[in-house]
Amino acid sequence: MKRQLLLAAFASQPWAMAPEHLATFSAVLRRWSAGEQVTPEVMVNIEAAQAARAARAKSVGSVGGGIAVLPLYGVMSQRASMVDDISGAGGTSTQAFTSALRSALADDTIDGVIIDIDSPGGSVFGAGELATEIFNARGQKPIYGYVNSLCASGAYWTGSQCAQLFMTPGGQAGSIGVYMQHVDESAAMEIEGYKCNFISAGKYKVEGNSMGPLDEEAQAFLQSQVDAYYASFTGAVAKGRGAPIGSVRDGMGQGRCLLATDALAAGMVDGICSFDDVVAKMTKAIKSGVTGARAVVDVIEVVASAVDLTPQAEVIAASVAVESGVAVVANLVQSNHAARTAARRRALEIASA
């Protein structure tokens, strides 16, 4: 019964997960709920993957220098038990990750946090809450993310909230979207000789059940739920990346995962580099402190207060930014309004470190 309940929960909830990974996950769950045994060959692959993931977490977790590395690996769920019951340990519980993040923020020996991301996303439940936690943490310590090598859907929802997000050259990021699935199992039940009748109270209590097709009203209601989660998702990305909501919805893959160079061009990440490079960037940020960054924030606040600066004002702002030691911000300030918005975001990120 437990397996059937898990299957029902899986089918009825919205997901922020790369579709191809969700399809695989769904197939595994259905075989598992039917009581089919996993072949030894599959178990060998699963155990090897879990061992590799554990070794990776151990290796990146020992960078030292006051930097904590938090792994965000595998399928994301609010509570780990659902995913672990199906496929064994190896996914990420957003609740457990939040606890680890809060512990790192409270630890005086930790000066910065790198989130090492390799995840296709997962359930929408808990994703938005974790995204908020990460965004708020930026005001306490440097919070960097590293896509190594997949940051899809719910994982990008959370990763986009890092002060800066970097990416391995061979990585993919995006899959910004939410979806649900409805499976009409009535024909399969008839083949097996089963007929199902519902005895319920409440007009919509059994709406959307799997014993028949969706009617128009049920379809519209489920679509409204997906739309609401999508609005939260894209709104969070816009806030985290300092980008207009339109560019998130229309210019960040529209539900597709993008390769590293395309993700960088779309403003989804801040750079393409190695993990060691990210560690070096954070080490430098920790050593530099906030003094210079505060001056840059003052400059960018001036930029942000006027949508259309005169060329002379932009040159002055850029000059002060250079004197503060942040040439990249200076370059952005001299560009268009979208670049100035990005400059303000970047400066605030530096200040929050």
Side-chain angles (χ1 to χ4, degrees):
M1 178 60 69
K2 179 180 179 182
R3 295 180 176 184
Q4 279 68 33
L5 289 174
L6 279 172
L7 182 58
F10 174 87
S12 63
Q13 69 172 281
W15 291 86
M17 188 172 175
E20 63 273 19
H21 289 270
L22 184 57
T24 300
F25 190 57
S26 176
V28 171
L29 179 54
R30 289 185 178 280
R31 290 196 299 269
W32 184 81
S33 66
E36 296 181 12
Q37 297 297 316
V38 178
T39 65
E41 292 79 8
V42 171
M43 283 305 304
V44 168
N45 291 334
I46 291 174
E47 291 169 358
Q50 291 176 352
R53 187 168 288 163
R56 172 177 160 187
K58 183 178 180 180
S59 65
V60 300
S62 57
V63 297
I67 298 174
V69 180
L70 302 183
L72 198 161
Y73 300 157
V75 177
M76 298 170 61
S77 62
Q78 189 169 23
R79 300 171 184 84
S81 59
M82 177 180 175
V83 174
D84 289 350
D85 283 344
I86 298 167
S87 59
T92 294
S93 159
T94 55
Q95 286 185 338
F97 191 94
T98 297
S99 296
L101 177 62
R102 289 176 178 175
S103 295
L105 295 174
D107 190 338
D108 292 337
T109 67
I110 295 176
D111 299 311
V113 176
I114 296 175
I115 301 177
D116 187 39
I117 306 170
D118 188 10
S119 169
S123 172
V124 297
F125 302 142
E129 290 81 354
L130 176 56
T132 299
E133 288 276 348
I134 294 172
F135 185 87
N136 291 339
R138 288 160 46 162
Q140 303 175 54
K141 294 180 179 181
I143 309 292
Y144 291 0
Y146 186 57
V147 179
N148 185 20
S149 293
L150 179 64
C151 183
S153 207
Y156 188 75
W157 189 340
T158 54
S160 65
Q161 304 308 294
C162 295
Q164 295 196 57
L165 183 63
F166 301 97
M167 190 171 183
T168 184
Q172 294 186 10
S175 192
I176 299 174
V178 178
Y179 73 109
M180 300 176 68
Q181 63 175 357
H182 175 268
V183 180
D184 183 351
E185 298 180 322
S186 57
M189 294 287 283
E190 284 187 19
I191 292 174
E192 295 293 327
Y194 296 103
K195 290 186 177 180
C196 182
N197 293 308
F198 292 99
I199 297 90
S200 64
K203 181 178 179 180
Y204 301 113
K205 187 62 178 178
V206 296
E207 181 181 58
N209 70 80
S210 63
M211 295 298 104
L214 287 175
D215 59 30
E216 290 185 3
E217 188 175 13
Q219 177 86 28
F221 174 71
L222 294 179
Q223 183 65 56
S224 71
Q225 290 191 312
V226 169
D227 290 343
Y229 281 115
Y230 181 64
S232 296
F233 188 166
T234 53
V237 172
K239 180 180 179 181
R241 297 298 303 166
I245 189 70
S247 69
V248 175
R249 296 192 173 197
D250 301 329
M252 292 190 175
Q254 299 183 59
R256 292 175 175 171
C257 267
L258 300 182
L259 299 179
T261 53
D262 294 327
L264 181 62
M268 297 173 66
V269 297
D270 297 296
I272 301 171
C273 59
S274 69
F275 180 79
D276 290 342
D277 290 334
V278 178
V279 174
K281 291 175 187 294
M282 175 160 284
T283 300
K284 182 178 180 180
I286 291 172
K287 290 181 178 179
S288 66
V290 302
T291 305
R294 183 65 259 172
V296 176
V297 171
D298 292 339
V299 171
I300 304 305
E301 289 294 347
V302 173
V303 176
S305 66
V307 174
D308 294 313
L309 290 179
T310 65
Q312 293 84 353
E314 290 187 0
V315 170
I316 293 172
S319 175
V320 176
V322 169
E323 291 175 1
S324 301
V326 189
V328 65
V329 175
N331 293 334
L332 289 171
V333 170
Q334 295 180 75
S335 187
N336 56 25
H337 174 59
R340 291 198 295 273
T341 300
R344 182 180 185 278
R345 171 179 57 79
R346 188 72 61 84
L348 292 173
E349 290 166 356
I350 297 170
S352 69

